[in-house]
Amino acid sequence: MDQKLDGIYQEVLHRNPGEVEFHQAVLEVFETLGPVMAKYPHFADIKIIQRICEPERQIIFRVPWQDDTGEIHINRAFRVEFNSALGPYKGGLRFHPSVYLGIIKFLGFEQVFKNALTGMPIGGGKGGSDFDPKGKSDSEIMRFCQSLMTELYRHLGEHTDVPAGDIGVGGREIGYMFGQYKRITNRYESGILTGKGLEWGGSLVRTEATGYGAVFFTQEMLKARGDSLEDKKVVVSGSGNVAIYAIEKAHELGAIVIACSDSSGIIVHEKGIDLDTVKRIKEVERRRISAYLEFHKDARYVEGGNIWDIPCDVALPCATQNELNGKDARTLVKNGCIAVAEGANMPTTPEGIQVFQDAKLAYGPGKAANAGGVATSALEMQQNASRDSWSFDYTQVRLQDIMINIHKNCFETAEEFGSPGNYVVGANINGFIRVARAMEAMGLI
Ligand code: GLU
């Protein structure tokens, strides 16, 4: 790493002790910024990098709630408003027991560059809570969301901060939070959250957007190599919102998805994962993926299995951070995998990324490959601002154009900065320069 950058990295470690995921996300960006520092030395003079690494505002608050038996629980929630150089803070809320400040900061940091890459007017932020939605009743989820919004509402605004979903937060949770916001403020402000229901201000394609976008990005990477998704064997980790719609679009584009998973195990179905079954189990019944076997006797369930052991042409990690390590990456390469696109945020460990890059396979980092979700959130904001709603086809074409553009920008930026084919370099540098230029123009704030 560039010496100046290394000094700044040491400072980041020192200022943010114990936040290992945040350190990992920062390091991954820093390792690619050397050529930018050489080309634009004045960014160092105005301390752009140090400023980008320090969130503009960090909010941490208590969320008390009562379960169905009347017992009181206390959770902790966060909203890290990372950077607003390009627009209001934008990024999801994650409900998962693993959430602590370091996770939210890694996600917020990545969101800044991801959102910049979309070319839309959105800054970066992220939030969430260590609340575990697993096994909770609808009324418990509602009470938790209401309690969280009772504090969060004062920080939101269509021009200030606009959360959405992430792991553990979908349409149901967004509904409860929007309702509470409306009740407290006595204002129907569609623009304060995205991922809303279609009947009350949501956008068509938002639900599908992250998964669809990741597959559009994969298609572009393969096209750039004179290939396509037609007849490719695909493995998708996870079975949540991102995974489900990645499977749907991969099938639509002629690929065959043979495996998906949840945190307990993996389903392998050689003749192709039946998406209606996954949707029913996950979206309606909210059960474990092992239930898939009740509907398909010819599928296989491997409790605790490693999905990356399954030979495939294309791998789409769509579950969570650091789910694919160096050993997994070597297995994928050995089995002939030609493309990896990240539907999740930071699913591949640094060692895994190195393996993919050494093998020169098409590797699309999350910042670029999963930007379709937040880009479609920005489309939802556009529709809300003009009190309009667009058709599915029109919105999907907009999403696909955005993904094509992100791919093109990453591809060209990687070439310009001397790393052809390296989408990590392309995404980090392209996103960084957009944010840095805006910060420079706005002076020292
Ligand atoms: N949580 C998603 C992400 O990681 C979407 C955020 C949004 O739509 O604001 O980008």
Short mmCIF file of all heavy atoms in Angstrom, two decimals, residues 210-261:
data_model
loop_
_atom_site.label_atom_id
_atom_site.label_comp_id
_atom_site.label_asym_id
_atom_site.label_seq_id
_atom_site.Cartn_x
_atom_site.Cartn_y
_atom_site.Cartn_z
N THR A 210 -32.11 -5.77 -6.11
CA THR A 210 -30.73 -6.12 -5.77
C THR A 210 -30.33 -7.41 -6.49
O THR A 210 -29.25 -7.50 -7.11
CB THR A 210 -30.56 -6.27 -4.24
OG1 THR A 210 -31.15 -5.13 -3.62
CG2 THR A 210 -29.10 -6.36 -3.85
N GLY A 211 -31.20 -8.41 -6.43
CA GLY A 211 -30.92 -9.69 -7.08
C GLY A 211 -30.87 -9.55 -8.60
O GLY A 211 -29.93 -10.05 -9.25
N TYR A 212 -31.86 -8.88 -9.16
CA TYR A 212 -31.87 -8.66 -10.62
C TYR A 212 -30.60 -7.92 -11.03
O TYR A 212 -29.94 -8.28 -12.01
CB TYR A 212 -33.07 -7.80 -11.04
CG TYR A 212 -34.39 -8.51 -11.20
CD1 TYR A 212 -34.62 -9.77 -10.64
CD2 TYR A 212 -35.43 -7.92 -11.92
CE1 TYR A 212 -35.86 -10.40 -10.80
CE2 TYR A 212 -36.66 -8.55 -12.09
CZ TYR A 212 -36.87 -9.77 -11.52
OH TYR A 212 -38.10 -10.39 -11.67
N GLY A 213 -30.28 -6.87 -10.29
CA GLY A 213 -29.12 -6.04 -10.63
C GLY A 213 -27.83 -6.85 -10.63
O GLY A 213 -26.98 -6.69 -11.51
N ALA A 214 -27.68 -7.74 -9.63
CA ALA A 214 -26.46 -8.55 -9.55
C ALA A 214 -26.33 -9.45 -10.77
O ALA A 214 -25.23 -9.69 -11.29
CB ALA A 214 -26.47 -9.38 -8.26
N VAL A 215 -27.48 -9.95 -11.25
CA VAL A 215 -27.43 -10.82 -12.43
C VAL A 215 -27.18 -9.99 -13.70
O VAL A 215 -26.42 -10.41 -14.59
CB VAL A 215 -28.71 -11.68 -12.52
CG1 VAL A 215 -28.74 -12.48 -13.82
CG2 VAL A 215 -28.78 -12.62 -11.32
N PHE A 216 -27.78 -8.80 -13.78
CA PHE A 216 -27.47 -7.92 -14.92
C PHE A 216 -25.97 -7.62 -14.95
O PHE A 216 -25.34 -7.59 -16.01
CB PHE A 216 -28.24 -6.60 -14.83
CG PHE A 216 -29.73 -6.71 -15.14
CD1 PHE A 216 -30.66 -5.97 -14.42
CD2 PHE A 216 -30.19 -7.54 -16.15
CE1 PHE A 216 -32.02 -6.05 -14.69
CE2 PHE A 216 -31.56 -7.64 -16.43
CZ PHE A 216 -32.47 -6.89 -15.70
N PHE A 217 -25.40 -7.38 -13.77
CA PHE A 217 -23.97 -7.08 -13.71
C PHE A 217 -23.14 -8.29 -14.17
O PHE A 217 -22.18 -8.15 -14.92
CB PHE A 217 -23.56 -6.67 -12.28
CG PHE A 217 -22.20 -6.04 -12.21
CD1 PHE A 217 -22.03 -4.67 -12.40
CD2 PHE A 217 -21.06 -6.81 -11.99
CE1 PHE A 217 -20.77 -4.09 -12.37
CE2 PHE A 217 -19.79 -6.24 -11.95
CZ PHE A 217 -19.65 -4.88 -12.14
N THR A 218 -23.56 -9.48 -13.74
CA THR A 218 -22.88 -10.72 -14.16
C THR A 218 -22.93 -10.84 -15.69
O THR A 218 -21.93 -11.17 -16.34
CB THR A 218 -23.58 -11.95 -13.54
OG1 THR A 218 -23.73 -11.73 -12.14
CG2 THR A 218 -22.79 -13.22 -13.79
N GLN A 219 -24.11 -10.57 -16.23
CA GLN A 219 -24.29 -10.65 -17.68
C GLN A 219 -23.31 -9.70 -18.40
O GLN A 219 -22.69 -10.08 -19.40
CB GLN A 219 -25.73 -10.25 -18.01
CG GLN A 219 -26.18 -10.58 -19.41
CD GLN A 219 -27.62 -10.10 -19.67
OE1 GLN A 219 -28.10 -9.13 -19.08
NE2 GLN A 219 -28.31 -10.79 -20.55
N GLU A 220 -23.14 -8.50 -17.85
CA GLU A 220 -22.22 -7.53 -18.47
C GLU A 220 -20.78 -8.02 -18.38
O GLU A 220 -20.00 -7.88 -19.33
CB GLU A 220 -22.36 -6.16 -17.80
CG GLU A 220 -23.67 -5.47 -18.07
CD GLU A 220 -24.01 -5.38 -19.55
OE1 GLU A 220 -23.20 -4.80 -20.30
OE2 GLU A 220 -25.07 -5.90 -19.96
N MET A 221 -20.40 -8.58 -17.22
CA MET A 221 -19.02 -9.08 -17.07
C MET A 221 -18.77 -10.21 -18.08
O MET A 221 -17.70 -10.28 -18.69
CB MET A 221 -18.78 -9.61 -15.66
CG MET A 221 -18.76 -8.56 -14.58
SD MET A 221 -17.93 -9.12 -13.06
CE MET A 221 -18.94 -10.50 -12.55
N LEU A 222 -19.76 -11.08 -18.25
CA LEU A 222 -19.58 -12.20 -19.18
C LEU A 222 -19.55 -11.69 -20.62
O LEU A 222 -18.73 -12.14 -21.44
CB LEU A 222 -20.70 -13.23 -18.99
CG LEU A 222 -20.63 -14.02 -17.67
CD1 LEU A 222 -21.87 -14.90 -17.48
CD2 LEU A 222 -19.37 -14.88 -17.61
N LYS A 223 -20.41 -10.71 -20.93
CA LYS A 223 -20.44 -10.11 -22.27
C LYS A 223 -19.07 -9.54 -22.62
O LYS A 223 -18.58 -9.70 -23.74
CB LYS A 223 -21.50 -8.99 -22.29
CG LYS A 223 -22.46 -9.06 -23.49
CD LYS A 223 -23.29 -7.80 -23.58
CE LYS A 223 -24.70 -8.04 -23.07
NZ LYS A 223 -25.49 -6.79 -22.96
N ALA A 224 -18.46 -8.87 -21.63
CA ALA A 224 -17.15 -8.24 -21.87
C ALA A 224 -16.10 -9.30 -22.22
O ALA A 224 -15.05 -9.00 -22.78
CB ALA A 224 -16.72 -7.46 -20.64
N ARG A 225 -16.39 -10.57 -21.88
CA ARG A 225 -15.47 -11.67 -22.21
C ARG A 225 -16.01 -12.53 -23.34
O ARG A 225 -15.59 -13.68 -23.51
CB ARG A 225 -15.26 -12.55 -20.97
CG ARG A 225 -14.56 -11.78 -19.87
CD ARG A 225 -14.52 -12.57 -18.57
NE ARG A 225 -13.65 -11.86 -17.65
CZ ARG A 225 -12.72 -12.45 -16.89
NH1 ARG A 225 -12.55 -13.75 -16.93
NH2 ARG A 225 -11.96 -11.73 -16.10
N GLY A 226 -16.99 -11.98 -24.05
CA GLY A 226 -17.54 -12.71 -25.20
C GLY A 226 -18.36 -13.93 -24.80
O GLY A 226 -18.50 -14.88 -25.57
N ASP A 227 -18.92 -13.90 -23.60
CA ASP A 227 -19.68 -15.05 -23.10
C ASP A 227 -21.08 -14.59 -22.67
O ASP A 227 -21.41 -13.40 -22.77
CB ASP A 227 -18.91 -15.67 -21.91
CG ASP A 227 -19.22 -17.15 -21.72
OD1 ASP A 227 -20.25 -17.61 -22.24
OD2 ASP A 227 -18.44 -17.82 -21.01
N SER A 228 -21.89 -15.50 -22.18
CA SER A 228 -23.23 -15.13 -21.70
C SER A 228 -23.66 -16.09 -20.58
O SER A 228 -22.94 -17.03 -20.25
CB SER A 228 -24.24 -15.22 -22.84
OG SER A 228 -24.65 -16.56 -23.01
N LEU A 229 -24.85 -15.83 -20.03
CA LEU A 229 -25.35 -16.67 -18.93
C LEU A 229 -26.05 -17.93 -19.42
O LEU A 229 -26.36 -18.83 -18.64
CB LEU A 229 -26.32 -15.86 -18.06
CG LEU A 229 -25.69 -15.08 -16.91
CD1 LEU A 229 -26.67 -14.04 -16.38
CD2 LEU A 229 -25.27 -16.00 -15.77
N GLU A 230 -26.31 -17.96 -20.70
CA GLU A 230 -27.03 -19.09 -21.32
C GLU A 230 -26.41 -20.43 -20.89
O GLU A 230 -25.20 -20.65 -21.05
CB GLU A 230 -26.92 -18.90 -22.85
CG GLU A 230 -27.83 -19.77 -23.69
CD GLU A 230 -29.30 -19.35 -23.60
OE1 GLU A 230 -29.57 -18.14 -23.58
OE2 GLU A 230 -30.15 -20.27 -23.54
N ASP A 231 -27.25 -21.29 -20.33
CA ASP A 231 -26.85 -22.65 -19.93
C ASP A 231 -25.76 -22.73 -18.84
O ASP A 231 -25.20 -23.81 -18.61
CB ASP A 231 -26.39 -23.49 -21.14
CG ASP A 231 -27.52 -23.71 -22.13
OD1 ASP A 231 -28.68 -23.80 -21.67
OD2 ASP A 231 -27.25 -23.76 -23.34
N LYS A 232 -25.47 -21.63 -18.20
CA LYS A 232 -24.45 -21.67 -17.13
C LYS A 232 -25.06 -22.28 -15.86
O LYS A 232 -26.23 -22.06 -15.55
CB LYS A 232 -23.95 -20.25 -16.81
CG LYS A 232 -23.19 -19.60 -17.96
CD LYS A 232 -21.84 -20.25 -18.17
CE LYS A 232 -21.01 -19.55 -19.23
NZ LYS A 232 -21.55 -19.64 -20.60
N LYS A 233 -24.24 -23.05 -15.16
CA LYS A 233 -24.64 -23.59 -13.86
C LYS A 233 -24.32 -22.56 -12.80
O LYS A 233 -23.16 -22.13 -12.67
CB LYS A 233 -23.84 -24.86 -13.56
CG LYS A 233 -24.55 -26.12 -13.91
CD LYS A 233 -23.82 -27.29 -13.29
CE LYS A 233 -24.47 -28.58 -13.77
NZ LYS A 233 -23.92 -29.75 -13.15
N VAL A 234 -25.32 -22.17 -12.04
CA VAL A 234 -25.14 -21.09 -11.07
C VAL A 234 -25.42 -21.59 -9.64
O VAL A 234 -26.35 -22.38 -9.43
CB VAL A 234 -26.09 -19.91 -11.40
CG1 VAL A 234 -25.92 -18.77 -10.40
CG2 VAL A 234 -25.86 -19.41 -12.82
N VAL A 235 -24.60 -21.13 -8.72
CA VAL A 235 -24.84 -21.41 -7.31
C VAL A 235 -25.07 -20.07 -6.60
O VAL A 235 -24.30 -19.13 -6.79
CB VAL A 235 -23.64 -22.16 -6.69
CG1 VAL A 235 -23.63 -22.04 -5.18
CG2 VAL A 235 -23.68 -23.63 -7.10
N VAL A 236 -26.16 -19.98 -5.84
CA VAL A 236 -26.51 -18.73 -5.15
C VAL A 236 -26.56 -19.02 -3.66
O VAL A 236 -27.35 -19.86 -3.21
CB VAL A 236 -27.90 -18.22 -5.62
CG1 VAL A 236 -28.31 -16.97 -4.85
CG2 VAL A 236 -27.91 -17.95 -7.12
N SER A 237 -25.74 -18.35 -2.87
CA SER A 237 -25.85 -18.57 -1.42
C SER A 237 -26.94 -17.68 -0.85
O SER A 237 -27.23 -16.60 -1.38
CB SER A 237 -24.51 -18.26 -0.73
OG SER A 237 -24.22 -16.90 -0.85
N GLY A 238 -27.56 -18.16 0.22
CA GLY A 238 -28.66 -17.42 0.83
C GLY A 238 -29.99 -17.86 0.23
O GLY A 238 -30.03 -18.62 -0.76
N SER A 239 -31.07 -17.37 0.82
CA SER A 239 -32.41 -17.62 0.27
C SER A 239 -33.34 -16.50 0.72
O SER A 239 -34.54 -16.66 0.85
CB SER A 239 -32.94 -18.98 0.73
OG SER A 239 -32.79 -19.11 2.14
N GLY A 240 -32.72 -15.34 0.96
CA GLY A 240 -33.49 -14.16 1.34
C GLY A 240 -33.86 -13.36 0.10
O GLY A 240 -33.83 -13.88 -1.02
N ASN A 241 -34.19 -12.11 0.32
CA ASN A 241 -34.66 -11.26 -0.77
C ASN A 241 -33.68 -11.17 -1.94
O ASN A 241 -34.06 -11.26 -3.11
CB ASN A 241 -34.97 -9.87 -0.20
CG ASN A 241 -35.29 -8.88 -1.28
OD1 ASN A 241 -34.45 -8.10 -1.69
ND2 ASN A 241 -36.51 -8.93 -1.77
N VAL A 242 -32.40 -11.00 -1.65
CA VAL A 242 -31.41 -10.84 -2.74
C VAL A 242 -31.28 -12.15 -3.51
O VAL A 242 -31.35 -12.18 -4.75
CB VAL A 242 -30.04 -10.38 -2.18
CG1 VAL A 242 -29.05 -10.22 -3.33
CG2 VAL A 242 -30.18 -9.08 -1.40
N ALA A 243 -31.11 -13.26 -2.78
CA ALA A 243 -30.93 -14.56 -3.42
C ALA A 243 -32.13 -14.93 -4.29
O ALA A 243 -31.97 -15.36 -5.44
CB ALA A 243 -30.70 -15.63 -2.35
N ILE A 244 -33.32 -14.75 -3.76
CA ILE A 244 -34.54 -15.17 -4.48
C ILE A 244 -34.61 -14.50 -5.86
O ILE A 244 -34.85 -15.15 -6.88
CB ILE A 244 -35.80 -14.85 -3.64
CG1 ILE A 244 -35.91 -15.85 -2.49
CG2 ILE A 244 -37.06 -14.85 -4.49
CD1 ILE A 244 -37.06 -15.60 -1.52
N TYR A 245 -34.34 -13.18 -5.89
CA TYR A 245 -34.51 -12.49 -7.17
C TYR A 245 -33.28 -12.62 -8.07
O TYR A 245 -33.39 -12.44 -9.29
CB TYR A 245 -35.00 -11.06 -6.94
CG TYR A 245 -36.40 -11.14 -6.37
CD1 TYR A 245 -36.64 -11.04 -5.00
CD2 TYR A 245 -37.47 -11.45 -7.20
CE1 TYR A 245 -37.91 -11.21 -4.46
CE2 TYR A 245 -38.76 -11.62 -6.68
CZ TYR A 245 -38.97 -11.50 -5.31
OH TYR A 245 -40.23 -11.69 -4.80
N ALA A 246 -32.15 -13.00 -7.49
CA ALA A 246 -31.00 -13.36 -8.33
C ALA A 246 -31.33 -14.67 -9.06
O ALA A 246 -31.08 -14.82 -10.26
CB ALA A 246 -29.74 -13.50 -7.48
N ILE A 247 -31.92 -15.61 -8.33
CA ILE A 247 -32.30 -16.89 -8.94
C ILE A 247 -33.32 -16.65 -10.06
O ILE A 247 -33.19 -17.18 -11.17
CB ILE A 247 -32.90 -17.85 -7.87
CG1 ILE A 247 -31.85 -18.21 -6.81
CG2 ILE A 247 -33.47 -19.11 -8.52
CD1 ILE A 247 -32.39 -18.99 -5.61
N GLU A 248 -34.31 -15.79 -9.76
CA GLU A 248 -35.36 -15.53 -10.76
C GLU A 248 -34.77 -14.98 -12.06
O GLU A 248 -35.07 -15.46 -13.15
CB GLU A 248 -36.37 -14.54 -10.18
CG GLU A 248 -37.58 -14.30 -11.05
CD GLU A 248 -38.72 -13.66 -10.26
OE1 GLU A 248 -39.37 -14.38 -9.49
OE2 GLU A 248 -38.95 -12.44 -10.39
N LYS A 249 -33.90 -13.98 -11.94
CA LYS A 249 -33.35 -13.35 -13.15
C LYS A 249 -32.36 -14.29 -13.86
O LYS A 249 -32.33 -14.35 -15.09
CB LYS A 249 -32.70 -12.01 -12.80
CG LYS A 249 -32.23 -11.16 -13.96
CD LYS A 249 -33.29 -10.92 -15.04
CE LYS A 249 -34.36 -9.95 -14.63
NZ LYS A 249 -35.39 -9.72 -15.71
N ALA A 250 -31.59 -15.06 -13.09
CA ALA A 250 -30.64 -15.99 -13.71
C ALA A 250 -31.40 -17.01 -14.56
O ALA A 250 -31.02 -17.30 -15.70
CB ALA A 250 -29.80 -16.69 -12.63
N HIS A 251 -32.50 -17.51 -14.01
CA HIS A 251 -33.33 -18.46 -14.78
C HIS A 251 -33.88 -17.79 -16.04
O HIS A 251 -33.85 -18.37 -17.11
CB HIS A 251 -34.46 -19.01 -13.92
CG HIS A 251 -34.00 -20.11 -13.00
ND1 HIS A 251 -34.77 -20.58 -11.96
CD2 HIS A 251 -32.86 -20.83 -12.95
CE1 HIS A 251 -34.12 -21.55 -11.32
NE2 HIS A 251 -32.95 -21.71 -11.90
N GLU A 252 -34.37 -16.55 -15.87
CA GLU A 252 -34.93 -15.83 -17.03
C GLU A 252 -33.91 -15.67 -18.14
O GLU A 252 -34.25 -15.65 -19.32
CB GLU A 252 -35.36 -14.43 -16.56
CG GLU A 252 -36.86 -14.24 -16.47
CD GLU A 252 -37.17 -12.83 -16.00
OE1 GLU A 252 -36.97 -11.84 -16.74
OE2 GLU A 252 -37.58 -12.73 -14.83
N LEU A 253 -32.65 -15.53 -17.75
CA LEU A 253 -31.60 -15.29 -18.76
C LEU A 253 -30.95 -16.59 -19.23
O LEU A 253 -29.88 -16.58 -19.83
CB LEU A 253 -30.55 -14.32 -18.22
CG LEU A 253 -31.08 -12.90 -17.93
CD1 LEU A 253 -29.99 -12.01 -17.37
CD2 LEU A 253 -31.67 -12.26 -19.19
N GLY A 254 -31.60 -17.71 -18.92
CA GLY A 254 -31.16 -18.98 -19.52
C GLY A 254 -30.16 -19.78 -18.71
O GLY A 254 -29.67 -20.82 -19.17
N ALA A 255 -29.84 -19.32 -17.50
CA ALA A 255 -28.92 -20.10 -16.65
C ALA A 255 -29.73 -21.09 -15.83
O ALA A 255 -30.97 -21.02 -15.80
CB ALA A 255 -28.16 -19.16 -15.73
N ILE A 256 -29.03 -22.01 -15.16
CA ILE A 256 -29.74 -22.93 -14.28
C ILE A 256 -29.11 -22.85 -12.89
O ILE A 256 -27.91 -23.06 -12.72
CB ILE A 256 -29.78 -24.36 -14.85
CG1 ILE A 256 -30.31 -25.34 -13.82
CG2 ILE A 256 -28.44 -24.83 -15.36
CD1 ILE A 256 -30.75 -26.64 -14.44
N VAL A 257 -29.93 -22.45 -11.91
CA VAL A 257 -29.43 -22.31 -10.54
C VAL A 257 -29.64 -23.64 -9.84
O VAL A 257 -30.77 -24.12 -9.71
CB VAL A 257 -30.17 -21.17 -9.79
CG1 VAL A 257 -29.64 -21.06 -8.37
CG2 VAL A 257 -30.00 -19.86 -10.54
N ILE A 258 -28.54 -24.26 -9.39
CA ILE A 258 -28.64 -25.61 -8.85
C ILE A 258 -28.57 -25.66 -7.31
O ILE A 258 -28.78 -26.72 -6.74
CB ILE A 258 -27.55 -26.54 -9.44
CG1 ILE A 258 -26.16 -25.93 -9.22
CG2 ILE A 258 -27.81 -26.77 -10.93
CD1 ILE A 258 -25.04 -26.91 -9.47
N ALA A 259 -28.27 -24.55 -6.68
CA ALA A 259 -28.19 -24.59 -5.21
C ALA A 259 -28.45 -23.24 -4.58
O ALA A 259 -28.17 -22.19 -5.18
CB ALA A 259 -26.81 -25.09 -4.77
N CYS A 260 -29.03 -23.27 -3.38
CA CYS A 260 -29.15 -22.07 -2.54
C CYS A 260 -29.06 -22.54 -1.09
O CYS A 260 -28.90 -23.74 -0.84
CB CYS A 260 -30.43 -21.30 -2.84
SG CYS A 260 -31.94 -22.19 -2.43
N SER A 261 -29.15 -21.63 -0.14
CA SER A 261 -28.86 -22.04 1.24
C SER A 261 -29.53 -21.13 2.27
O SER A 261 -30.12 -20.11 1.92
CB SER A 261 -27.34 -21.99 1.47
OG SER A 261 -26.87 -20.67 1.29
#
